[in-house]
Amino acid sequence: MLSLVLPKGSLEKATLDLFDAADLTVRRGSDRDYHASIADPRVDRVRFLRPQEIPQYVEQGLFDLGITGRDWITETDADVVSLTELHYSKATSNPVRVVLAVPRDAPWQTPADLPEGVRISTEFPALTRRFLDLHGVKAVVVPSYGATEAKVPDIVDAIVDLTETGSSLRKNGLRILDTLLSSYTELVANRDAYADPAKRAAMEDVALLLRGAIRARQHVLVKLNVSAADLPAVLAVMPAATSPTLMPLATGEHSAVEAVVPKATVNTLIPALKAAGGFDILELPISKIVE
């Protein structure tokens, strides 16, 4: 039913891991194969392409559905339907940023300080020109095809580049002058395909599964047993999205308690539950959380 295009390159592994967690495992002959399949009746064709190309190909109807970044949607000015943000990237779940970076010792403190004729290298020439026009900067925008950070200061005076943590910029003696755009990965659709009720339903199913897999990454299921006397103390420290699930055990003197809790807090939560009287404490992974 759906033709799907996935990003080749830096997002590739993280995307494959996400689809696997969502039980939409992508199968292909090798990691160099640009054709793939998903054993799901809602998806009948899968291709891998560079994320820069995906927004326009989805807009043109070559694919019904694709995964790309807001940065490339904005750069190409593609008219697509954004179904959902997917909070994952190459290294973290944080958004990546398109930033203007200059040498660490450069005198400029704002974009407006950049001198006329400043040379700026970037893989985002359209986005960069719009940003510079907004700040009244007359610059020479030099398209880059990789290794953008290495071009300062010998080839250009500044760059507009993508960063996730900023560490690579700092290692190359650069500092961020301004942020042009914060970008999450997005699941996008062709407008005509989205207007088809059957295809829209299939797209929304895929989006639901991907969101559920992402949300599950940040949570675990904690289960424990507790005596009636210690139950109030355990409930006082047990967090939950709504409230913990409470079930009496066969003896009638103890209860089983379980709750979905943030994974980031579980290392302090488990000792606190033990101290409050909980026992037989289990921490279990979760595949999906569907709201």
Side-chain angles (χ1 to χ4, degrees):
M1 180 182 292
L2 297 177
S3 56
L4 171 67
V5 58
L6 301 178
K8 187 77 177 170
S10 62
L11 270 180
E12 184 174 352
K13 184 181 184 305
T15 300
L16 291 173
D17 289 346
L18 172 60
F19 271 70
D20 191 47
D23 295 313
L24 295 167
T25 300
V26 179
R27 294 181 170 86
R28 54 182 174 167
S30 74
D31 58 7
R32 296 185 178 182
D33 198 338
Y34 287 85
H35 297 264
S37 64
I38 294 176
D40 188 289
R42 292 163 293 201
V43 182
D44 59 18
R45 182 164 67 98
V46 181
R47 285 286 302 273
F48 284 85
L49 292 171
R50 300 294 295 179
Q52 300 93 312
E53 304 172 293
I54 289 174
Q56 290 182 312
Y57 287 156
V58 171
E59 178 187 17
Q60 294 163 11
L62 299 176
F63 299 94
D64 299 316
L65 201 60
I67 286 185
T68 187
R70 174 50 52 179
D71 49 348
W72 293 116
I73 299 168
T74 305
E75 169 66 18
T76 59
D77 199 25
D79 182 20
V80 293
V81 178
S82 180
L83 297 177
T84 187
E85 285 186 343
L86 299 171
H87 290 192
Y88 79 99
S89 55
K90 182 173 67 173
T92 71
S93 60
N94 299 322
V96 294
R97 293 181 293 155
V98 179
V99 299
L100 171 63
V102 300
R104 187 182 295 119
D105 57 358
W108 314 310
Q109 298 303 315
T110 70
D113 296 334
L114 294 173
E116 183 174 346
V118 63
R119 291 174 60 82
I120 301 176
S121 180
T122 183
E123 294 183 34
F124 303 93
L127 177 59
T128 299
R129 289 189 183 100
R130 290 195 294 267
F131 175 81
L132 295 173
D133 288 344
L134 182 65
H135 289 275
V137 178
K138 295 181 179 180
V140 177
V141 177
V142 182
S144 176
Y145 302 97
T148 306
E149 296 163 337
K151 295 168 184 173
V152 181
D154 298 333
I155 299 173
V156 295
D157 306 302
I159 63 170
V160 169
D161 204 6
L162 204 61
T163 185
E164 192 166 340
T165 65
S167 61
S168 182
L169 294 173
R170 291 189 293 271
K171 287 179 182 177
N172 283 276
L174 300 169
R175 61 180 171 86
I176 295 172
L177 197 65
D178 206 346
T179 298
L180 285 68
L181 179 73
S182 290
S183 172
Y184 276 112
T185 306
E186 295 185 25
L187 181 67
V188 298
N190 171 266
R191 288 199 175 276
D192 291 338
Y194 187 70
D196 179 293
K199 286 192 172 184
R200 180 186 293 190
M203 291 173 182
E204 291 175 347
D205 285 351
V206 171
L208 180 75
L209 294 172
L210 295 175
R211 283 196 305 268
I214 287 176
R215 189 160 188 261
R217 289 176 173 178
Q218 282 82 47
H219 295 81
V220 294
L221 178 66
V222 171
K223 305 178 70 170
L224 58 90
N225 294 331
V226 63
S227 68
D230 292 327
L231 180 59
V234 164
L235 293 179
V237 297
M238 175 75 93
T242 51
S243 63
T245 300
L246 181 64
M247 295 170 289
L249 298 183
T251 64
E253 299 175 358
H254 295 84
S255 296
V257 180
E258 65 179 53
V260 174
V261 303
K263 189 173 184 179
T265 66
V266 75
N267 284 347
T268 56
L269 175 63
I270 288 176
L273 292 171
K274 176 70 173 174
F279 61 94
D280 295 340
I281 302 172
L282 301 178
E283 176 191 340
L284 302 173
I286 302 171
S287 297
K288 297 182 193 70
I289 298 177
V290 178
E291 295 176 316

